[in-house]
Amino acid sequence: MGTVRNALLASAVTLALAPALAQAKTDLIVGMNLEPPTLDPTTTAAAAVDEVTYANIFEGLTRINENGEILPGLAESWDVSDDGLTITFNLRQGIEFADGSPFNADDVVFSIGRIIGPDSVSGKPQLFSSIADVQKIDDNTVEITLSESDGLVLFNLGQGDGVIVNEATIDEIGTNPIGTGPYMVDERVEGDHITLVRNPNYRDPDAVHFDTVEFRFITDSAAMTAAMLAGDVDVFPNIGAPEALAAFENDDRFEVIVGTTEGETVMAANWRREPFNDPLVRQAIMHAIDRQGLVDAAMFGYGTPIGTHFAPHNPAYVDLTGLYPYDPDRARELLAEAGYPDGFSTTFVLPPPAAYARRGGEVIQAYLAEVGIDAELVPVEWAQWLEGPFRGYDYDLTIVSHTEPLDIGIYALGPDDYYFGYDNASFNAVIDELRGEADPSARAADYEEAQQIIAEDLASIFLFQLPQLGVRNANVQGVWANRPIQANDITGAYWQE
Amino acid sequence: MLRRALQHRSFLLGVILVGLMVAAALISLAWTPYAPERMRVGPPFAGPSWAHWLGTDSFGRDTFSRIIVGAQNSIMVGVVAVGIGLVIGVPLGVAAAAYRGWWDEVLGRMVDLTFAFPAILTAVMITALMGPGAVNSILAIGIFNVAVFARVSRGAALQVYGREFPRAALALGRGRSDIAIRHILPNIASALIVQATIQFAIAILAEAALSYLGFGTQPPHPSWGKMLLDAQSMMWIDWTQAIYPGVAIALAVLGLNLLGDGLRDLLDPRLRVFRVG
Amino acid sequence: MLSFLARRFLTLVGTAFAASLVVFLVLEVVPGDPALLQLGIEASPEAVERLRAEMGLNRSAVVRYVDWISGLLTLDFGRSFTYSTPVGELIAQRIAVTLPLALMALVVSTLIAIPLGMFAAANRNRAGDYGVMTFSQIGVAVPNFWFGILLILLFAVHWQVFDTGFPGWDEGLFAGLKALVLPAAALALGEAAILARITRSAVLETMREDYVRTARAKGLSRWQVMTRHVLRNALIPISTIVGLQFALLLAGSIIIEEVFQLPGLGKLLIQAIGQRDFQVIKNAVVLFAVLVVFVNFLVDALYAAIDPRPKQA
């Protein structure tokens, strides 16, 4: 491991020998916060798995780019029937998996087949719940039938959960994944790193920029900063620790990456429980929190306040943050009106993410204290969070970032199927309408109406959109700034010459 | 005795340091420059100034206020964790010395088993699995103290039982618990006081370590260990915040250790202090 | 003496067994379902149940315990829930960091403490002695994780001559050892402080012995007496303590690995606790306990060999 002094020395040398050295650099070291527990993106919901494998090792029928647009992937084109229920995919030809076996329609039928239906092995089966069947037409054509029109299915097939896997090697996919992407796994050291090397059978060898790509796992933000400064890591696409960016903001050797994610950070206030079933109390809580102040204190200013459950970079977004603005006096009045003139005591369950949940929790606690609400912080590990608040609906307040794209529909899942406990028939009707709607402008109108309803009801306490924060060596180009899906697609990255 | 104490310089230093910690805790009960849990009482990462003697943390909270309130936390942890050890451990240890036999054997094995797990490991297991928080971390440290005091009081009591007077008292028909309270406890008190001081120091260290790992005292209550954890991740922005809580811990532990060593010198220089981390 | 050792050995086995039972029982009652954690937020209940069955979590506790112990006896530690790789491999990988770290700390601590202790004893009640004793008091009082943070501040942030983290042994012996220098120093401070004090009193005690005075009377220099007679005899109690310290250093690595982000056994354990990877937790904890008990046993054995007076078990 080099040191910063060595790195400085090296960059001085680079200046002198720039072209030669730049060309010599054929490896990329990518830092990540979390380590993938397995290397099969189709059977797990863990984001880190997609972040290593998506596009780098495995490809889907469609492919999502940095801006969330749907591009051709292993399917070079597709036709959607007029009723929107049948999609015919025309597959690329002459493609091989990393083990040399050919890719064809059978692989698609196998891959899609295992993630749909009641026996789905998928980590997120609801992404593909609209797919009723998948049929091979010929070696290069596949037909997917939907049970209902689904505007998101092409997008979802382009996520890590929908990638095409290899049937012959399926038993060892978790440790030695074989895909059609430009790289394959060379070495995996648990708790430390995973190294990818070129897939020798990749269709376009000239488009592969690196001989090796190493994903290195560093959880601690101080250690992350040190590793970047020392040049031990070239890119940290998703640094998760906004405080770490301070060290790079004024340093020419690095570029700070600030982009968007699909993560709406919300504080759920349990609708099933007193006093959170009282709209006045919910409004009081919302009035008590200064969202910009929260972003400044917890996120070091990175992040956009939101007033509803929708990503601000989406064209259909409506800014509803003015509905219940920061006004502690109003909050106290509302609490008194609701019968809590002296406030009340409650608990606030915090999952592990350090920045938005743990720091954010502390800041929110302080805001609530100002209006007389005494919230005891209960930090938990993910296991307990999933079992307690998320599955058992056992919580008063909790905070989490919902990182699925376009997931406003979770407010229509009802109190029996989702932890919010929110139930509003007119909202459910809008979501139902959306499901069958194919016309983009009508969809946008529905989305706007849906945003309005949950914002007025304060279905959750809406806080801010999680930013995508990262840092890269200034010479590494082509790294995604935004995070429309969980991925570190480094197939377009390269060293600037 | 008093004159000897006054001449014992390191003992005096110990008294002063512990006195400072207690004074800080007491003062902070009544007054702090700022509410220790209040954010934005100053700009974040403000350096030391007249307004903020030790500067502010990343949330703009006053660090001096948090440090002196943190003393309350450490004293509370020490008192309760040592208290648990004394209240449960001493009767167990004295009983083992009084009855010997299988009871002694069983207790000895239990104590061995406790010491087989490194203390920090036990504490991490208990707090991480049962849920982080001040109560669980005090319990985790307390369990370990039970074993320490059981062993120390057994050893000390055995020596006393070996002397003439308890046997004489027994022959005179006095009850065993009566003998234990009247004769044994006063004679092992020095050993227990010295050991308690040392365990107090260890409890403060252990609680700081647990809070540093995120398993101990939870926000917004200031704890020196948690302050270090927060400061470490902000090291690149402001390293000074990583200094003060560490100094506070070190001074508190130093004071208690000096006090303990001094007490031993003054009370009974032959006492063996039992040290396990 | 042999019967003493045999009894101590039986105790060792008994303690290890009891430790395994305690860990197993604790893991039985803690909240947090490992299967649910693996599958994440959106998993269906059926999928969770399937994975629980795959993990063997739906069998009775007794069966699982017997299974685990019989596996242990054949060195089969099972598979990690998180990584689905054999726990034995994971532990072997991690112990390749923790063991060198503890050994390095032991060496550093001993190399600092013994000369310091001897120096203090030789200069009893003079300035040098007070200096060493002050160092010792401070060394004991400074929390090792804070000392670690200070070392990082100085050497990694300010001077930038060391990094945190661990490059792996395949980067070369030097790179690996270099990465362990700061953590070992942080770990060694407290133990060196204690060892220096113990060395001092052991040396002082030996100097009171008749043969030392005789040697002095024979005209040997103070230094010669120190190295030839005093140190050799004082080494007996010192080495006992060094042995015991090794166990403490192993335990201390749990927090130091967290400070320096070293992929060792302690970090594995903390991470496994967060992920409810029971397979890793139970084996790692028992391994820690067995190491501690085993080191204590070795120390006892050594002591028994040196000092033949009868002992209580």
Side-chain angles (χ1 to χ4, degrees), chain C residues 196-213:
Chain C
R197 205 190 303 191
I198 285 165
T199 306
R200 174 182 177 272
S201 52
V203 169
L204 283 178
E205 214 150 289
T206 325
M207 290 204 315
R208 276 189 223 112
E209 303 278 341
D210 286 341
Y211 62 85
V212 177
R213 293 193 208 155

Side-chain angles (χ1 to χ4, degrees), chain A residues 41 154 222 240 304 377 383 497:
Chain A
L154 286 170
T304 314
L377 300 184
E497 292 184 15

Side-chain angles (χ1 to χ4, degrees), chain B residues 219-252:
Chain B
H221 310 294
S223 103
W224 294 338
K226 175 73 165 53
M227 290 173 76
L228 275 180
L229 171 65
D230 291 345
Q232 192 188 4
S233 61
M234 308 292 162
M235 210 155 61
W236 297 93
I237 306 176
D238 181 2
W239 56 271
T240 60
Q241 293 297 317
I243 303 295
Y244 313 121
V247 172
I249 299 169
L251 288 181

